[in-house]
């Protein structure tokens, strides 16, 4: 009995949509994203307080420290305050763009994240872009000839790659390429001169980590595109398109794929945020100087301000990407606009 | 003259997992230009396979025997390029279910223009002009070209499909159930439009439907299909008035003529109806609405009255039919009666007491007033067995007693006998009619006093329709179960209802006994509804006055 509003709609189908619904929709989605962000900040703060290990012990490991000095250090880091007070200070700082100061490096966390975020974006952006193109292309081909040789082999290979641990695949690639590609870092120890040469140098270093990430993540795009297109393939409007006399590839390109892309699009954006946080292992294997490696290093402290900062940025990127997907969906799918 | 379409001994066999399925056998048909041929049959009769066969749109698993001649040319012998050129420019199709046959993310103008771009060398401006022309031809404002399918009503989508079919001036148009799911008034408009096109342009039209009364008014010749064969063919009038084959008679009986005394209180059911017992005219009122109003705000913020001051009573041992076009507010009224929608003002009473507003009160109320939906395939959870589906209600309402006994009794009451055979079945293993019986059994399991049924037979085949209506009538006669049946089908009201309430733009414009309202209508709208019913021919005087 969901036809109530439809009845009404049918009563006045000529009426034009007003702009207020768009504003309300966007405001609602942005509001929802903000609430999630607040939740993430709180969760990040308290979650890392539960990690075992006293940061002061790690910080003073190699120096003999007296109880007075320890108390002084505790006070300077604000660790002597009650937890809720620490939290309020933290949130107050965040609102002013201050992520706190790293325990281990004695540097502002914001600056550390800012310099580490670009390598990660370069790695994740390149890998995701390639994975989306590869995954969607393979998915469309596999679905269109469902059950064929291409479909069966591709689906098999994809599933095998998807199930591999990233660090293991990374190590495997390192061994297989036998040192053709550099195994660590983003640039050579002695970087060449000139922008073009430097870009090539970075690209050279990027190859293996990017390939590792690509091989693992393209699977989901392929599988979702495949099942999404399979669902559309029985659709009546495709029969209409065939009856019109369209060639098979036009039926696919003009009618089937645009419809099948809609559910895939949400996944692409959602996954982009997830991939950023999934780079910890790849960056650790290849010593790629990004957020993942920073997290890996900070966990040893535990360097709470750094962990919190990275956590907020990573979780925030998932939320923001999800918001972008929601808003974009409204632009792309006319049916969402109406509802 | 070469016939436009000639089917010679056409046979289609599908290879399936369980062996071969002969969908179409030995079908011979011819269609001359300017002629309308009706093909009647239920789902599974093979009529849609015939349509697909004409344009070679059958899936790979189908084997075709016999010949399809399109304007004298054998379709099977066409090369791919020739076939693609012939598709739509020589023969086009108005597919069943315009809702799904249009691409949901493309503007309809672009979809109408697509075959033009494909088959003609016309420039962009010429195509634009042509699209406007086509839309005007089907009585749609040209501005609708910019609409997406979901922004159009069912009738408008159907017209878009027709405009699309006419785009390349084909000589043959095949219309597959073009009016199913449309209400009578829109149906009459679409039929009128198709008739006009045949007359004005001399195209050949193949009209496929399960509703014989529609064919009677639209076609000169009718062929009746049953289990893949043509069982009867002839002049439209002869087939309708003097059907030879048993199946034709069953189809004809399924859509009763309003005013025909033979079909009053007599749905086409195979099981005998219990005789009408002594009926006390002073039955208690079970469900009543007083000055009920439901207002919605549309997207611009203007209030729209979906239900506008309705007074309605449903008594014990009575079936009330609520009729009206889509958009008249009948579904909203039903939702409000069930407590699924808060009224803006006015009251709903059950058994003399106002319907409670609290969640627990409403739950208790819904035990007594149960809902039966239009489409049993989507109303049932596909992963729940029949037992689970029927037992869910008693569980929610914590009915005492043996659950299995309750379920078996409900299935028996819904005439699924022996009930044990159905308990472990899943919905997809059942036929459409059996599924609807399971839905009804789920309602009966709670021992309700009123059933509210929203188009209970609209998505069922013609032969099943009579069975389900017969069940509702038997339940009333045997148990005194009251029912409010929402429908756009006046024949249904004539078949089983005691009283009719006609709804128009949120108001009940006429309420009264069936004979009175349907035979001597007072309100203009009721008269219009009755006039829109397909009649066997213009020279038929039965509806005059």
């Amino acid at each position: 009995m969901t036809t109530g509003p439809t009845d009404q709609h049918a009563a006045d189908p000529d009426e034009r949509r007003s702009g207020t619904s768009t504003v309300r929709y966007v405001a609602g989605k942005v509001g929802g994203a903000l609430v999630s962000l607040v939740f993430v900040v709180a969760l990040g703060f308290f979650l890392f307080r539960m990690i075992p290990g006293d940061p002061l012990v790690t910080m003073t490991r190699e120096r003999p420290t007296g109880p007075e000095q320890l108390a002084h250090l505790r006070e300077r880091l604000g660790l002597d305050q009650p937890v809720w007070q620490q939290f309020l200070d933290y949130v107050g700082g965040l609102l002013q763009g201050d992520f706190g100061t790293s325990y281990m490096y004695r540097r502002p966390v914001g600056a550390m994240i800012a310099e580490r975020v670009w390598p990660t974006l370069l790695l994740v952006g390149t890998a995701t872009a390639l994975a989306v193109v590869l995954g969607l292309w393979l998915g469309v081909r596999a679905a269109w000839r469902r059950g064929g040789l291409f479909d069966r082999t591709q689906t098999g290979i994809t599933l095998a790659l998807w199930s591999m641990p990233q660090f293991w695949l990374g190590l495997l690639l390192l061994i297989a390429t036998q040192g053709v590609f550099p195994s660590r870092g983003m640039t050579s120890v002695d970087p060449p001169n000139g922008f073009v040469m430097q870009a090539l140098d970075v690209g050279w270093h990027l190859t293996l980590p990017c390939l590792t990430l690509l091989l693992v993540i393209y699977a989901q795009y392929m599988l979702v595109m495949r099942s999404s297109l399979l669902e559309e393939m029985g659709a009546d409007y495709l029969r209409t398109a065939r009856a019109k006399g369209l060639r098979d590839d036009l039926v696919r390109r003009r009618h089937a794929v645009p419809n099948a892309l809609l559910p895939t699009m949400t996944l692409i954006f959602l996954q982009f945020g997830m991939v950023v946080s999934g780079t910890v292992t790849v960056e650790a294997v290849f010593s790629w100087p990004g957020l993942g490696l920073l997290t890996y290093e900070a966990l040893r402290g535990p360097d709470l301000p750094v962990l919190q900062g990275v956590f907020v940025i990573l979780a925030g990127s998932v939320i923001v990407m999800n918001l972008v997907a929601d808003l974009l969906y409204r632009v792309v799918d006319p049916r969402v606009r109406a509802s | 003259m070469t016939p436009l379409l000639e089917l010679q001994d056409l046979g289609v066999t599908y290879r399936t997992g369980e062996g071969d399925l002969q969908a179409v056998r030995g079908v011979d048909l011819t269609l001359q230009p300017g002629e309308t041929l009706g093909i009647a049959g239920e789902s599974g009769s093979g009529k849609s396979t015939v349509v697909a066969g004409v344009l070679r749109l059958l899936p790979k698993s189908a084997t075709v025997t016999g010949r399809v001649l399109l304007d004298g040319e054998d379709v099977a012998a066409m090369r791919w390029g020739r076939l693609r050129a012939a598709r739509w420019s020589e023969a086009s199709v108005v597919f069943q279910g315009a809702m799904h046959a249009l691409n949901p993310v493309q503007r309809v103008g672009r979809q109408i223009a697509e075959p033009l771009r494909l088959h003609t060398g016309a420039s962009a401006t010429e195509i634009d002009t042509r699209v406007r022309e086509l839309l005007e031809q089907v009585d749609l404002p040209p501005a609708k070209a910019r609409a997406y399918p979901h922004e159009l009503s069912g009738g408008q989508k159907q017209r878009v499909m027709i405009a699309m079919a006419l785009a390349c001036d084909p000589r043959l148009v095949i219309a597959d159930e073009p009016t199913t799911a449309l209400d009578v008034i829109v149906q009459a408009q679409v039929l009128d439009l198709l008739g006009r096109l045949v007359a004005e342009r001399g195209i050949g039209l193949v009209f496929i439907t399960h509703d014989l009364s529609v064919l009677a008014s639209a076609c000169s010749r009718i062929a009746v299909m049953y289990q893949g064969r043509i069982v009867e063919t002839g002049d439209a009038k002869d087939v309708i008035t003097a059907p030879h084959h048993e199946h034709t008679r069953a189809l004809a009986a399924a859509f009763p003529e309003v005013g025909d005394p033979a079909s009053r209180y007599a749905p086409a059911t195979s099981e005998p109806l219990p005789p009408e017992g002594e009926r006390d005219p002073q039955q208690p009122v079970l469900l009543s609405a007083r000055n009920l109003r439901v207002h919605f705000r549309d997207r611009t913020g203007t209030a729209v009255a979906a239900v506008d001051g309705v007074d309605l009573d449903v008594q014990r041992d009575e079936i009330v039919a609520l009729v009206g076009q889509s958009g008249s507010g009948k579904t909203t009224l039903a939702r409000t009666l069930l407590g699924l929608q808060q009224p803006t003002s006015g009251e709903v009473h059950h058994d003399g007491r106002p319907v409670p507003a609290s969640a627990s009160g409403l739950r208790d109320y819904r035990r007594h007033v149960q809902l039966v939906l239009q489409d049993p395939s989507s109303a049932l959870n596909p992963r729940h067995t029949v037992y689970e589906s029927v037992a869910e209600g008693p569980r929610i309402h914590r009915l005492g007693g043996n659950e299995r006994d309750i379920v078996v009794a409900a299935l028996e009451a819904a005439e699924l006998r022996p009930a044990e055979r159905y308990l472990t079945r899943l919905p997809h293993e059942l036929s459409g009619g059996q599924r609807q019986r399971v839905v009804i059994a789920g309602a009966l399991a709670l021992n309700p006093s009123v059933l509210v049924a929203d188009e209970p037979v609209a998505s069922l085949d013609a032969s099943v329709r009579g069975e389900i209506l017969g069940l509702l009538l038997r339940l009333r006669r045997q148990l005194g179960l009251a029912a409010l049946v929402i429908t756009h089908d006046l024949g249904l009201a004539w078949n089983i209802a005691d009283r009719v309430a006609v709804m128009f733009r949120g108001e009940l414009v006429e309420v009264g006994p069936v004979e009175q309202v349907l035979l001597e209508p007072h309100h203009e709208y009721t008269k219009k509804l009755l006039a829109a019913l397909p009649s066997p021919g213009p020279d038929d005087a039965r509806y005059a006055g």
Side-chain angles (χ1 to χ4, degrees):
Chain A
M1 291 263 297
T2 50
T3 48
T6 326
D7 272 1
Q8 193 198 351
H9 184 75
D12 198 358
D14 284 316
E15 169 229 319
R16 297 292 300 172
R17 235 175 294 114
S18 65
T20 53
S21 70
T22 308
V23 174
R24 197 176 305 157
Y25 178 84
V26 173
K29 288 292 177 192
V30 172
L34 284 178
V35 170
S36 310
L37 265 178
V38 169
F39 193 67
V40 157
V41 168
L43 193 68
F45 182 85
F46 292 106
L47 209 61
F48 287 115
R49 290 293 181 283
M50 290 194 278
I51 296 182
D54 186 344
L56 289 184
V57 174
T58 326
M59 287 169 81
T60 57
R61 191 179 292 144
E62 265 133 47
R63 283 166 292 171
T65 326
E68 256 173 58
Q69 278 171 297
L70 267 182
H72 178 68
L73 196 57
R74 208 175 282 277
E75 192 188 320
R76 198 164 57 84
L77 294 177
L79 290 174
D80 58 334
Q81 306 272 349
V83 174
W84 61 267
Q85 184 63 45
Q86 290 182 36
F87 180 62
L88 287 185
D89 290 346
Y90 173 63
V91 172
L94 267 191
L95 288 178
Q96 294 162 30
D98 178 11
F99 285 85
T101 308
S102 161
Y103 294 164
M104 283 156 79
Y105 301 92
R106 312 277 166 90
R107 291 182 56 205
V109 172
M112 290 174 70
I113 290 177
E115 85 194 16
R116 295 295 193 106
V117 76
W118 297 111
T120 294
L121 277 183
L122 177 67
L123 173 60
V124 170
T126 316
T128 306
L130 292 174
V132 166
V133 171
L134 180 72
L136 296 191
W137 182 72
L138 289 174
V140 168
R141 275 206 61 179
W144 205 250
R145 297 266 174 269
R146 183 194 191 171
L149 187 66
F150 183 85
D151 182 24
R152 275 176 296 154
T153 49
Q154 265 317 311
T155 311
I157 293 172
T158 303
L159 276 176
L161 287 169
W162 174 235
S163 56
M164 279 183 198
Q166 288 185 15
F167 73 91
W168 187 74
L169 184 64
L171 290 175
L172 213 66
L173 285 173
L174 263 179
I175 296 164
T177 50
Q178 301 231 334
V180 176
F181 296 100
S183 63
R184 49 185 298 117
M186 193 166 105
T187 48
S188 303
V189 185
D190 190 13
N193 292 324
F195 178 76
V196 178
M197 292 309 289
Q198 276 177 10
L200 283 176
D201 184 46
V202 170
W204 191 240
H205 282 78
L206 183 66
T207 311
L208 278 188
C210 182
L211 188 64
T212 310
L213 211 50
L214 165 69
L215 287 179
V216 174
I217 63 173
Y218 89 89
Q220 46 196 331
Y221 303 119
M222 186 238 171
L223 294 175
V224 169
M225 187 65 200
R226 179 177 175 274
S227 65
S228 168
L229 188 59
L230 279 180
E231 227 162 81
E232 294 298 324
M233 289 214 353
D236 286 350
Y237 63 83
L238 293 186
R239 188 187 49 187
T240 310
R242 284 202 183 89
K244 281 178 179 174
L246 255 62
R247 285 200 318 272
D248 199 47
D249 61 316
L250 282 181
V251 173
R252 182 175 65 201
R253 261 211 326 267
R254 278 200 204 153
H255 293 277
V257 172
N259 276 285
L261 265 179
L262 293 175
T264 317
M265 210 186 66
T266 317
L267 177 94
I268 291 174
F269 279 89
L270 202 56
Q271 283 301 321
F272 187 76
M274 305 285 278
V275 173
V276 174
S277 45
T279 51
V280 176
T281 42
V282 175
E283 290 190 2
V285 169
F286 293 98
S287 304
W288 186 263
L291 289 178
L293 192 61
L294 182 64
T295 312
Y296 180 71
E297 289 161 358
L299 271 172
R300 282 184 292 187
D303 195 341
L304 295 181
V306 171
L307 287 177
Q308 279 161 25
V310 174
F311 181 79
V312 167
I313 293 295
L314 293 186
S317 69
V318 176
I319 293 169
V320 169
M321 279 301 165
N322 200 15
L323 177 67
V324 171
D326 275 346
L327 297 182
L328 209 61
Y329 208 93
R330 193 174 157 86
V331 176
V332 183
D333 190 343
R335 285 165 296 183
V336 178
R337 257 176 275 162
S339 60
Chain B
M1 190 157 52
T2 331
L4 218 43
L5 175 69
E6 195 172 358
L7 306 183
Q8 295 175 350
D9 193 28
L10 181 70
V12 179
T13 307
Y14 291 109
R15 268 194 323 276
T16 67
E18 292 109 51
D20 288 358
L21 178 80
Q22 271 198 301
V24 173
R25 293 178 259 199
V27 166
D28 291 293
L29 283 175
T30 48
L31 178 78
Q32 301 292 343
E35 192 187 24
T36 307
L37 168 70
I39 303 181
E42 312 197 306
S43 59
S45 66
K47 53 191 165 65
S48 294
T49 302
V50 170
V51 179
V54 170
L55 286 180
R56 245 168 77 187
L57 289 167
L58 290 164
K60 280 205 189 91
S61 63
T63 323
V64 182
T65 56
R67 299 214 301 169
V68 178
L69 300 179
L70 198 60
D71 223 353
E73 193 178 351
D74 189 348
V75 173
M78 286 182 184
R79 303 171 75 90
W80 268 111
R82 169 74 193 113
L83 177 68
R84 280 205 304 271
R87 281 177 178 176
W88 221 258
S89 60
E90 287 172 31
S92 63
V93 186
V94 178
F95 282 107
Q96 182 172 7
M99 174 86 197
H100 302 290
L102 291 169
N103 187 337
V105 300
Q106 250 182 36
R107 294 184 197 278
V108 296
R110 199 171 146 210
Q111 300 188 53
I112 297 174
E114 188 168 35
L116 289 167
R117 272 185 290 167
L118 199 67
H119 295 290
T120 66
S123 69
T125 38
E126 281 167 354
I127 288 178
D128 270 359
T129 324
R130 177 81 179 123
V131 169
R132 298 173 67 86
E133 230 175 71
L134 285 163
L135 285 172
E136 273 167 16
Q137 228 167 49
V138 295
D139 297 322
L140 280 179
K144 288 285 179 207
R146 296 199 43 79
Y148 287 99
H150 72 270
E151 295 171 325
L152 302 175
S153 69
Q156 290 175 327
K157 278 192 278 254
Q158 202 65 59
R159 284 172 211 213
V160 167
M161 283 300 294
I162 295 174
M164 200 156 85
L166 298 173
C168 299
D169 267 322
R171 296 187 58 212
L172 170 67
V173 175
I174 304 173
D176 190 358
E177 302 271 13
T179 61
T180 312
L182 300 183
D183 58 56
V184 271
I185 292 188
V186 182
Q187 166 172 296
Q189 289 165 349
V190 171
L191 288 179
D192 182 53
L193 169 69
L194 284 171
R196 223 169 59 216
L197 291 168
V198 172
E200 284 170 9
R201 310 177 149 223
I203 60 171
L205 177 67
V206 177
F207 197 120
I208 299 175
T209 177
H210 62 281
D211 187 342
L212 266 187
S213 58
V214 168
L215 288 185
S217 67
C219 304
S220 44
R221 276 193 310 130
I222 292 182
V224 180
M225 279 193 85
Y226 182 58
Q227 295 185 344
R229 290 180 196 281
I230 290 187
V231 293
E232 184 160 357
T233 172
D235 193 62
K237 212 167 226 158
D238 297 341
V239 173
I240 302 289
T241 50
H244 290 292
H245 195 270
E246 194 187 340
H247 185 69
T248 317
R249 277 199 290 272
L251 279 181
F255 294 94
E257 231 172 83
V258 171
D260 178 5
S263 55
R264 181 76 183 122
Y265 285 128
T269 167
S270 54
E271 278 193 49
L273 289 159
E276 187 70 80
E278 279 289 302
R279 286 182 88 185
D280 183 359
Q282 283 303 310
Q283 291 281 2
V285 174
L286 290 177
L287 195 60
S288 73
R290 283 290 163 268
N291 200 17
L292 202 62
R293 284 172 207 277
V294 182
H295 293 191
F296 290 121
R297 294 207 171 275
D298 67 8
R299 281 163 300 183
T300 56
T302 336
V304 178
V307 177
D308 202 5
V310 162
D311 292 304
L312 183 66
D313 286 331
V314 180
Q315 296 169 4
R316 201 189 109 81
D317 195 17
E318 160 180 76
I319 296 180
V320 178
L322 180 63
V323 301
Q325 285 179 261
S326 54
S328 60
K330 43 189 206 304
T331 298
T332 308
L333 174 58
R335 285 174 60 88
T336 314
L337 291 177
L338 285 160
L340 294 166
Q341 167 80 47
Q342 275 293 317
T344 312
S345 68
E347 280 179 333
V348 180
H349 288 259
H350 172 252
D351 225 354
R353 284 186 300 274
V355 168
S358 67
S360 62
L362 266 178
R363 195 178 64 189
D364 195 44
Y365 166 65
R366 291 201 187 110
R367 216 200 101 185
H368 300 286
V369 181
Q370 277 286 304
L371 175 66
V372 175
L373 286 168
Q374 171 173 1
D375 185 359
S377 336
S378 49
L380 290 173
N381 184 332
R383 294 186 210 290
H384 279 188
T385 60
V386 167
Y387 183 89
E388 290 292 318
S389 296
V390 177
E392 192 169 28
R395 274 181 209 164
I396 290 171
H397 292 280
R398 299 197 185 89
L399 290 199
N402 185 328
E403 186 180 276
R404 193 185 157 90
D405 290 347
I406 295 175
V407 172
V408 168
L411 289 173
E412 297 268 347
E415 292 162 7
L416 287 168
R417 300 192 188 104
E420 283 73 18
R421 215 170 61 193
Y422 295 95
L423 292 179
T424 57
R425 300 273 193 94
L426 287 167
H428 73 264
E429 299 171 316
L430 303 173
S431 70
Q434 287 171 334
R435 273 181 227 151
Q436 192 63 297
R437 284 175 196 273
V438 173
V439 173
I440 294 173
L444 293 178
L446 292 170
N447 200 11
S449 55
V450 184
L451 280 186
V452 176
D454 191 357
E455 300 279 9
V457 293
S459 64
L460 301 179
D461 260 332
S463 58
V464 182
R465 182 196 130 95
E467 300 293 344
I468 296 293
L469 294 183
L471 170 64
L472 290 175
L473 190 53
R474 275 193 290 275
L475 286 171
R476 170 178 77 67
R477 287 191 179 171
Q478 286 165 350
L479 309 173
L481 184 64
L484 178 67
V485 183
I486 299 154
T487 182
H488 66 268
D489 178 355
L490 296 173
L492 182 155
W494 183 256
N495 257 172
I496 62 166
D498 302 294
R499 288 194 301 136
V500 184
V502 182
M503 196 158 185
F504 179 59
R505 297 199 178 148
E507 290 177 52
L508 292 186
V509 294
E510 196 159 356
V511 184
V514 168
E515 283 85 354
Q516 183 193 317
V517 173
L518 295 187
L519 298 182
E520 297 151 24
H522 286 292
H523 195 272
E524 278 310 309
Y525 179 69
T526 318
K527 289 181 189 162
K528 203 171 139 201
L529 272 183
L530 284 160
L533 287 179
S535 59
D539 54 342
D540 196 293
R542 268 173 296 184
Y543 299 98

